[in-house]
């Protein structure tokens, strides 16, 4: 029985060679007799391996880009949401937006307006995103919990 070219050396093979090996050696022997393990199939295996590697690289790049922004893909305009971006008269409307979906509307509004008047900032969205407003994020209660909703 002749030795297959993929078995000729003991050096590590690239992924495409591994896939070609799997295609050629894991199939029933009748497929080998019928010529399934031809150069055409090996070439297709290599193209498929390159396609998988490209998808993996794109996925890793996308994850890295999102992580580098620190907002999970959300980009907030610092002019509208950063520290000192509000005037004190804008606090009630911004807090109404921030507290709009909570069942504890009254305490949320009380603490949000207190934080807004001190920090002149209210984070975007109904919850979270506090990193956009460091003062709002870092103001804690005596127990160490978050002061601002």
């Amino acid at each position: 029985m002749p030795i297959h070219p993929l078995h000729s050396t003991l050096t590590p093979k690239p992924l495409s060679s591994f896939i070609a090996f799997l295609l050629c050696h894991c199939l029933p022997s009748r497929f080998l007799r019928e010529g399934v393990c031809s150069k055409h199939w090996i070439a297709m295996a290599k193209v498929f391996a390159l396609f998988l590697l490209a998808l993996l690289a794109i996925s890793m790049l996308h994850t890295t880009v999102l992580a580098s922004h620190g907002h999970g893909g959300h980009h907030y305009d610092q002019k509208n949401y950063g520290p000192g971006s509000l005037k004190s008269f804008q606090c009630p409307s911004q807090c109404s937006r921030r507290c709009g979906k909570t069942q504890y509307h009254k305490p949320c509004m009380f603490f949000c307006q207190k934080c807004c008047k001190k920090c002149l900032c209210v984070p975007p969205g109904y919850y979270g995103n506090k990193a956009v407003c460091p003062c709002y994020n870092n103001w804690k209660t005596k127990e160490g919990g978050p002061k601002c909703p």
Side-chain angles (χ1 to χ4, degrees), residues 1 7 14 28 31 42 44 54 56 59 75 81 87 93 110 123 147:
M1 180 174 196
H7 290 279
F31 288 121
I42 292 173
M44 285 180 54
L56 180 66
S59 174
H75 304 284
Y81 292 109
K87 306 286 185 223
S93 64
F110 174 80
K147 182 101 170 175

Side-chain angles (χ1 to χ4, degrees), residues 87-126:
K87 306 286 185 223
S88 60
F89 70 88
Q90 296 173 305
C91 289
S93 64
Q94 289 299 310
C95 287
S96 290
R97 175 193 49 79
R98 178 79 173 171
C99 298
K101 290 193 176 181
T102 183
Q103 61 182 350
Y104 306 106
H105 187 75
K106 200 169 185 176
C108 180
M109 285 294 291
F110 174 80
F111 286 107
C112 180
Q113 288 188 51
K114 188 172 187 168
C115 295
C116 181
K117 288 191 189 313
K118 178 182 177 188
C119 302
L120 296 176
C121 179
V122 175
Y126 298 106

Side-chain angles (χ1 to χ4, degrees), residues 30-141:
R30 78 167 203 270
F31 288 121
L32 295 175
R33 284 192 302 269
E34 293 171 4
V36 170
C37 193
S38 66
K39 289 181 182 180
H40 174 72
W41 281 95
I42 292 173
M44 285 180 54
K46 289 180 180 183
V47 169
F48 182 71
L50 288 173
F51 177 72
L52 287 178
L53 286 173
L55 283 177
L56 180 66
I58 290 169
S59 174
M60 290 174 63
L61 180 65
H62 185 268
T63 303
T64 304
V65 168
L66 287 181
S68 70
H69 289 303
H71 298 298
H74 296 105
H75 304 284
Y76 296 113
D77 183 9
Q78 288 296 327
K79 187 179 90 175
N80 294 329
Y81 292 109
S85 61
L86 298 176
K87 306 286 185 223
S88 60
F89 70 88
Q90 296 173 305
C91 289
S93 64
Q94 289 299 310
C95 287
S96 290
R97 175 193 49 79
R98 178 79 173 171
C99 298
K101 290 193 176 181
T102 183
Q103 61 182 350
Y104 306 106
H105 187 75
K106 200 169 185 176
C108 180
M109 285 294 291
F110 174 80
F111 286 107
C112 180
Q113 288 188 51
K114 188 172 187 168
C115 295
C116 181
K117 288 191 189 313
K118 178 182 177 188
C119 302
L120 296 176
C121 179
V122 175
Y126 298 106
Y127 63 92
N129 305 315
K130 291 184 181 182
V132 177
C133 299
C135 168
Y136 197 95
N137 188 35
N138 298 331
W139 198 10
K140 305 291 182 197
T141 62

